[in-house]
Amino acid sequence: MPGYLPRIVDAEVESALRRRGAVLIEGTRGCGKTWTARRFALSEVRLDSEATLLLAASDPEAVLRGPTPRLLDEWQNAPQLWNRVRRHCDDRPGHGHFILTGTATPQDDLTRHTGTGRISRVLLRTLSLWEMGRSSGSVSIRGLFEGEGASCLPDETRGLREIAALICTGGWPQNLQQDENDALESLGDYVNEVVRLDVPAANGVRSNPGAVQRLMLSVAHSISTEAKMTKLASDMSTDTMPSRNTVAAYLEALRRIFVVEDQPAWSVNLNSRATLRKESKRHFVDPSLAAAMLRATPDRLLANHVVFGQLFESLTVRDLRIYGGADRGSVYHYRDNTGLEADAIIERTDGSWIAVEVKLNSGGASVDKAARSLLRLRDKVAPRRRDELAALLVVTSTGAAYRRPDGVQVAPITTLAP
């Protein structure tokens, strides 16, 4: 398709169409779901117009007729179509009849469970640096799992200013053709739409736009940390502190529209008396949303390395989720009560894992500290989990990719790929 940037998830969509009667592509607004679906669809109907929704209500079968795979774009606006799609998948021979795209999870989740065995779900995130052409792809996450070493010379053309700009403009397809200032303005518009329209539609009740905006600002201030609900509520308070239920409801609405995506704690057997921390780390689906809430620009990030470091970690987690997801890997974090932590753990379904520390500063002392932390973690886990360890990786902002004498791999984020 002319102008289409290939996505890592394309292979997952293609596989789902071979295996199931339908595939549901989910993700936040503006991440490229419709374009990805159109790469595979032979016909489409867009369920974001009043006329089409009236037809879907009066004659749903007319909406479903057409060459297959047939795209039902923004299907959640006509949730009654779900069961009809399911029945068509039962009645029609073969697979790959429908592609559904959606920006929000319908409130009645019971309608979705009936798709088991018939409708496969695929999560589309924003573009990774490799998908945008901003990573050389010299260091493959799949390759690290298979025992390959990191090795490439530094790219002298890429510096911290470019990393800061990539954080602030994000992985949004529509921002790729815009200049930096326009991209930053677009993100402000995006946040306003989330607060005014998307959250109320997601939770089905009246919400306070100011409170939602304060919650998003609190998440931005807490990005890449384990901020508890009480901390978020405190940040949201004006005259009175919102209840835990209110904060939880707003957070759930942001999850339903795929704007926030927490990073859960890793569950692992330890060969020590350390106690695991269970709190998730806070992240937006794309670090540019945190930057927008904080009114950060590339130059402001360069002047504040604490915030820059937190957002750089969130950028790295986003990309690791996309790269690891190509092989059904999930991304966690690790922290115990002794202060030992790993910024990310990529774990595959077979139990193999990679421990990752993220360092904005690519200098020797910073990398040495990260490597020592990863080696301590390796020594703490139970012997069986140690045998499943594929690699220890320090992700930096710039510099060369290489394997240290102690076995720890080092790679700039602009060298990573699936």
Side-chain angles (χ1 to χ4, degrees):
M1 190 165 61
Y4 179 73
L5 280 178
R7 308 296 291 266
I8 293 168
V9 81
D10 287 347
E12 191 175 347
V13 174
E14 190 172 15
S15 172
L17 288 170
R18 290 196 305 267
R19 296 180 288 105
R20 293 286 186 262
V23 57
L24 168 62
I25 304 175
E26 298 178 299
T28 193
R29 178 211 294 258
C31 69
K33 298 179 301 298
T34 302
W35 277 96
T36 293
R38 283 175 175 168
R39 186 184 179 202
F40 300 95
L42 295 181
S43 66
E44 70 175 77
V45 59
R46 303 193 62 171
L47 295 161
D48 56 1
S49 72
E50 184 177 355
T52 307
L53 289 175
L54 288 172
L55 178 62
S58 63
D59 188 2
E61 289 299 321
V63 171
L64 299 182
R65 282 195 294 271
T68 61
R70 182 160 176 79
L71 167 59
L72 308 180
D73 194 36
E74 298 295 350
W75 80 274
Q76 78 280 351
N77 293 330
Q80 72 274 14
L81 294 178
W82 180 269
N83 283 333
R84 289 185 176 271
V85 167
R86 176 184 60 83
R87 286 197 292 271
H88 275 268
C89 291
D90 285 340
D91 296 341
R92 295 184 183 185
H95 302 108
H97 304 301
F98 297 101
I99 303 173
L100 295 79
T101 65
T103 297
T105 303
Q107 294 167 48
D108 181 10
D109 281 347
L110 294 176
T111 63
R112 309 178 79 235
H113 297 165
T114 60
T116 302
R118 306 170 182 89
I119 304 175
S120 182
R121 284 183 283 174
V122 173
L123 176 61
L124 184 67
R125 297 183 173 91
T126 54
L127 291 158
S128 65
L129 297 191
W130 185 74
E131 290 169 310
M132 286 189 281
R134 300 301 184 92
S135 170
S136 66
S138 302
V139 180
S140 162
I141 296 299
R142 181 180 295 128
L144 293 177
F145 269 105
E146 294 172 356
E148 295 177 7
S151 178
C152 72
L153 292 171
D155 184 350
E156 303 295 347
T157 65
R158 300 187 187 278
L160 284 178
R161 178 59 171 74
E162 180 176 350
I163 298 298
L166 290 169
I167 288 171
C168 290
T169 56
W172 309 94
Q174 65 268 27
N175 283 355
L176 297 182
Q177 305 304 320
Q178 295 184 339
D179 66 29
E180 189 175 286
N181 289 332
D182 287 344
L184 296 179
E185 290 292 332
S186 294
L187 283 160
D189 297 338
Y190 185 99
V191 169
N192 289 334
E193 292 297 297
V194 167
V195 169
R196 291 191 311 105
L197 300 176
D198 294 350
V199 168
N203 64 14
V205 297
R206 291 191 63 182
S207 58
N208 182 332
V212 175
Q213 191 155 18
R214 289 193 296 274
L215 173 59
M216 292 180 67
L217 180 59
S218 179
V219 173
H221 280 299
S222 303
I223 206 76
S224 302
T225 71
E226 301 155 67
K228 295 183 178 180
M229 200 81 75
T230 51
K231 166 70 165 57
L232 301 180
S234 177
D235 289 348
M236 290 173 62
S237 63
T238 51
D239 296 333
T240 59
M241 184 179 296
S243 69
R244 181 184 177 88
N245 287 342
T246 297
V247 179
Y250 287 168
L251 273 176
E252 179 58 25
L254 290 169
R255 292 190 188 99
R256 281 182 177 273
I257 57 176
F258 305 99
V259 166
V260 298
E261 185 177 9
D262 289 344
Q263 182 185 1
W266 192 41
S267 179
V268 61
N269 296 324
L270 297 178
N271 191 26
S272 73
R273 295 182 180 179
T275 302
L276 294 173
R277 301 293 191 185
K278 300 291 182 65
E279 293 86 3
S280 296
K281 281 189 175 184
R282 303 291 179 184
H283 290 281
F284 287 106
V285 69
D286 192 280
S288 61
L289 295 177
M293 295 306 304
L294 298 171
R295 299 184 182 278
T297 64
D299 293 332
R300 287 175 181 170
L301 287 185
L302 289 171
N304 188 333
H305 273 223
V306 173
V307 175
F308 194 175
Q310 290 176 306
L311 292 176
F312 178 65
E313 181 180 330
S314 193
L315 174 72
T316 303
V317 168
R318 181 202 70 185
D319 280 9
L320 293 179
R321 279 172 165 157
I322 296 169
Y323 302 151
D327 294 306
R328 300 192 177 277
S330 298
V331 176
Y332 306 91
H333 78 94
Y334 173 92
R335 190 163 74 91
D336 63 31
N337 65 336
T338 71
L340 179 63
E341 59 182 314
D343 294 322
I345 304 288
I346 313 169
E347 184 177 46
R348 287 179 166 182
T349 53
D350 63 2
S352 59
W353 55 286
I354 294 174
V356 182
E357 274 285 273
V358 180
K359 292 296 179 184
L360 179 64
N361 184 344
S362 57
S366 179
V367 172
D368 285 344
K369 181 179 178 181
R372 286 195 298 271
S373 181
L374 291 172
L375 292 167
R376 283 179 58 206
L377 172 59
R378 178 199 64 187
D379 294 340
K380 257 191 178 182
V381 300
R384 181 182 65 82
R385 295 315 313 264
R386 200 177 308 157
D387 291 341
E388 294 170 331
L389 174 63
L392 302 172
L393 174 66
V394 180
V395 175
T396 60
S397 56
T398 57
Y402 58 95
R403 182 186 179 105
R404 292 163 48 100
D406 57 16
V408 176
Q409 313 269 7
V410 181
I413 191 171
T414 52
T415 65
L416 299 181

